Each structure stands twice: as structure tokens, then as C-alpha cells.
Amino acid sequence: MGRGSNGFLSALSADDYELLRAHLRTVDLPHEAVLVETGETLRRAYFPHRGVISLVVKLAKGEHVQVGMIGRDSLLGTLSIMGDACALSTAIVLVAGVASVMDLDRLRAAADQSSTLRTLLARHGLAV
């Protein structure tokens, strides 16, 4: 799929992208697919190239509220790299698309090897 259509991957230096490239694979994001439920362990990072992932939380009275959206400029899994991989919201595909995906363990290992990648992930986590 390449990195050009995902803003986060495009922002990486050539060296940082090389740390990830071999571990990325392309997946379809079907409409309404649940990528992770609140409280589950997130195991993969998703870098959308097309489509939108909705982050929703369930309120005490049973209503669902959208608290964020992740599109082609972002990634799902930033905060899980930095610490606990327990999902704080449910991630549901709102608009079907395509994403690059990799295991969070591999992304963590790459971040451990590169301070610039770690910094970019941390900045991204603060913005999401």
C-alpha cells in the first residue's frame, strides 16, 4: 500500500519507516467492523489509508457517544505503545477503507530502537 496515503507513516524518516516496513501488512476495513472493544487488549496498530475509524464509549444509561475519529492522517494504537494496551474505547469502522496494520509488540520494539519514532508517537498520542 505504501506509506504515502497515511499521514503518520508519511511523516516518518526513511530510517524509522524501515524499522516498520517489513512488519506492515494491508487489510480491508469493512464498514461496522469492530477492531477492539472497551477493556480488551489492543494487539495491532492500524494506519488507515482510506476510511474512518470511530472511537465510542458507552455511557451509564446505555447510550453510545463518539469521542474521536481516526482517519488517514492518524493511527489507532498510539497510547497502547506508551503503556497499557487496554482499550479505553470501542473502535468501529465508520467508513469502509484500507489500512496498514502491524502488531503492537513490533511497533513497541521499533519505538525502543528509535528516539525519533518514540517522540513522534508521543506527540501523536497527545494530539489524539
Side-chain angles (χ1 to χ4, degrees):
M1 179 104 256
R3 68 182 183 157
S5 56
N6 177 273
F8 182 85
L9 293 176
S10 294
L12 296 176
S13 69
D15 289 342
D16 285 344
Y17 182 69
E18 278 304 306
L19 290 173
L20 308 183
R21 187 179 57 77
H23 307 291
L24 293 168
R25 65 186 200 292
T26 303
V27 296
D28 288 327
L29 296 174
H31 178 65
E32 296 186 350
V34 177
L35 304 179
V36 67
E37 294 269 2
T38 302
E40 289 181 350
T41 299
L42 186 61
R43 301 195 186 288
R44 288 179 271 315
Y46 292 84
F47 304 86
H49 296 280
R50 292 190 313 272
V52 177
I53 300 168
S54 177
L55 304 177
V56 298
V57 295
K58 187 175 182 180
L59 301 177
K61 293 184 179 181
E63 305 98 342
H64 289 87
V65 176
Q66 181 174 282
V67 295
M69 290 191 301
I70 296 172
R72 62 185 218 110
D73 60 335
S74 193
L75 77 137
L76 172 65
T78 305
L79 296 177
S80 298
I81 309 296
M82 303 302 165
D84 191 3
C86 182
L88 301 176
S89 58
T90 298
I92 303 169
V93 178
L94 183 64
V95 177
V98 176
S100 290
V101 64
M102 72 182 299
D103 291 341
L104 276 175
D105 290 342
R106 298 274 189 187
L107 187 53
R108 267 190 214 101
D112 287 345
Q113 294 177 43
S114 168
S115 63
T116 56
L117 177 57
R118 235 183 353 267
T119 298
L120 191 59
L121 285 165
R123 285 183 184 157
H124 186 77
L126 292 172
V128 182

